[in-house]
Amino acid sequence: MHKAFKITIMLLVMLSLLCAGAAAESTPSVLEISNIFVYDQPVEGADQNPEVSLAANARYREKIAALAETIDFTQESETLRFCTKQALAQDDFTALTWQVTNRTDKTLYVSGSEFDTDFSGVEYDLCGGLNQFNFVLHPGETLDARFHGWLWAHVEPGEGTLQLKLRVYELTGDGLNGALDAVSIEESGMPLLENVAFRVPMEMKQGTVCSALADGQPLLRSMNGYTLKVTRADMGTLGMEIALERVYDTKEAAVADPGPGDSYWEYSLPAADGSVWIHAYYGMIPDEPEENADGTWSWHYSGKVYYMFSQPDMIVLRSVHYDTANGYDWANAEDAALSFALDDETR
C-alpha cells in the first residue's frame, strides 16, 4: 500500500475512534439489542414498499425485544470493568450489549475483532459494521458497546460462554503519531497494558423454524429448460436457509446454463408483500454440475439470510440471468413462491 494512502486511512480510523465515546453516550439505544435490526431508510423500487417495510420492521423488532434477556454480569481486569446489559443467543446467532469503563488514570485504546470472538470455542462469521471492538476510553469514562454474529459451525442448544479477546493499550500523543506510520497496532509504539478475555456465560437456545416444504418433501417446478427442485426452505426468527437443485436432462444442457462464470444465473428473495426484509445474505454455487443417479445433471445452490429486517410469511424465489455484456435479464426472470404460513405469534 502506498504510504500516503496508508497514513490517510489510519488518520481517519484514529479520528473516528477518538469520537466513539461521545457518539455512544448520545446513543443509549446501543444497549437495546432490537436496535441492531432497525430499518430506517426505506426507498422506493421494484418489490419494495416503504410503508410496509417500516411496519414489518417495527413488528419484528418488538419480537426481538421480547427474546432479548437482561443479564447482570460484571467482570473486571486491571484496566477495564465490563457490565453486561442484554443478551440473545438462539440458533447459532448471538448478540450482547454491555458497558465498559476505564478503571485507570490513563487514556486507553481497546482493540479486538470478530476473529477474536467465539462461543465455547466456535468462531463467528464476519458481522458487519455494528460491532464495537476498537475504541478510545479516557480516564474513568464509560462506553456503551455491542456485538452480534453468526457462528461458523453449528452448536447444540445449551450452556456456553461468549468470549471476546481484547488488547488494551495506553494511548499517548506519541502513540497516536506512531499509529499513523504503523502497519499494525503492535508496531504503533503504544504500550500494551494487558490482554483481556471478556467471558460471559450464556445459554444457546433453539428457536421455532417453519419450512415452506409440505411434509419435508421437495418442491418441484418445471422451468425453462430445467426442473427446479427446492430441498430446503427454513425460516427462523433470526435467519432463513434455502437449498435447491436445477435439474437438467443432460450434462451438456447443464453446462450451457452455468451458475458461475461471466454469464450466469443467481437468486434473489423478495418478500411477496413488498417489504425489505434482508439485511445480509449469501449464496453458494459449485464450479461444476453434478450427475444424479438417474442420469440427469444438477447445479446445486444454497443460500442463507444472515440478518433480517422482518420475517415475511411468503417470499419469491427469483432466478435471474446476468452477463457482462447485457447485465441482468429481468424480463425473463423465473419465480417460485415459498410460503412459510407464519401466524401473528411467529412473525
Side-chain angles (χ1 to χ4, degrees), residues 145-326:
R146 64 186 173 191
F147 164 83
H148 74 294
W150 281 89
L151 293 169
W152 275 111
H154 173 64
V155 298
E156 293 298 321
E159 299 296 330
T161 301
L162 175 66
Q163 175 177 251
L164 294 83
K165 296 180 180 178
L166 304 169
R167 296 171 298 281
V168 184
Y169 297 86
E170 181 181 2
L171 181 61
T172 65
D174 291 339
L176 176 59
N177 293 332
L180 298 180
D181 289 316
V183 175
S184 66
I185 294 173
E186 288 76 10
E187 298 178 13
S188 67
M190 290 188 289
L192 176 65
L193 299 182
E194 65 171 337
N195 291 303
V196 178
F198 179 30
R199 299 184 179 94
V200 183
M202 298 176 67
E203 180 185 1
M204 183 65 70
K205 298 182 178 180
Q206 183 171 342
T208 300
V209 176
C210 186
S211 175
L213 307 182
D215 300 321
Q217 296 301 307
L219 175 69
L220 300 174
R221 293 286 186 273
S222 179
M223 297 296 190
N224 183 20
Y226 68 96
T227 297
L228 173 67
K229 182 179 180 181
V230 181
T231 56
R232 181 177 186 181
D234 292 337
M235 175 73 76
T237 305
L238 296 160
M240 195 276 279
E241 294 189 68
I242 188 167
L244 61 84
E245 297 178 41
R246 293 166 68 106
V247 186
Y248 302 79
D249 291 337
T250 66
K251 180 179 181 180
E252 290 74 19
V255 171
D257 188 24
D262 293 332
S263 177
Y264 57 88
W265 47 261
E266 63 181 49
Y267 284 92
S268 62
L269 303 170
D273 64 1
S275 63
V276 177
W277 71 284
I278 294 178
H279 190 177
Y281 167 78
Y282 79 86
M284 298 191 66
I285 308 168
D287 293 331
E288 301 289 341
E290 297 181 13
E291 186 175 11
N292 302 314
D294 61 359
T296 60
W297 287 76
S298 292
W299 285 104
H300 292 258
Y301 174 89
S302 62
K304 183 169 185 176
V305 177
Y306 260 49
Y307 304 107
M308 295 158 39
F309 290 125
S310 63
Q311 190 178 18
D313 54 12
M314 180 179 289
I315 65 171
V316 177
L317 178 62
R318 176 163 296 160
S319 171
V320 61
H321 276 79
Y322 175 86
D323 68 65
T324 54
N326 301 304

